[in-house]
Amino acid sequence: MPESTPEPDDMSHEQKLRDQFLRAEHSTEADAAPRIDVSEHDGNVRIDIAETAAVRSGPGPGMDEADGVEHSD
């Protein structure tokens, strides 16, 4: 018996997000993977880029800024 897709009203927030990411043409499971980690400590919310995120903000590996090299103009 084929698995039935839950109706949108029966889906959790995470399921709805995953469904949206996977509806795009040529999308893959990697597109729906979490990109951030959210944690709460002593009432403060911290949002970090997930270590498993395919794309991260800032300079990439091999760029001078990523290697700690500063440029002088």
Side-chain angles (χ1 to χ4, degrees):
M1 178 187 298
E3 290 185 32
S4 62
T5 304
E7 292 298 317
D9 292 339
D10 297 335
M11 298 170 76
S12 69
H13 177 71
E14 288 78 16
Q15 289 172 318
K16 288 178 184 178
L17 284 176
R18 182 179 177 280
D19 185 58
Q20 282 185 324
F21 284 123
L22 294 178
R23 283 183 187 213
E25 187 175 347
H26 306 294
S27 64
T28 66
E29 283 291 327
D31 297 322
R35 293 176 174 84
I36 61 171
D37 292 322
V38 180
S39 58
E40 186 173 343
H41 303 282
D42 299 323
N44 298 311
V45 176
R46 180 180 171 120
I47 301 172
D48 293 302
I49 305 297
E51 290 295 324
T52 56
V55 178
R56 299 175 60 81
S57 59
M63 296 183 70
D64 291 341
E65 295 85 359
D67 299 331
V69 176
E70 292 188 29
H71 295 278
S72 59
D73 293 326

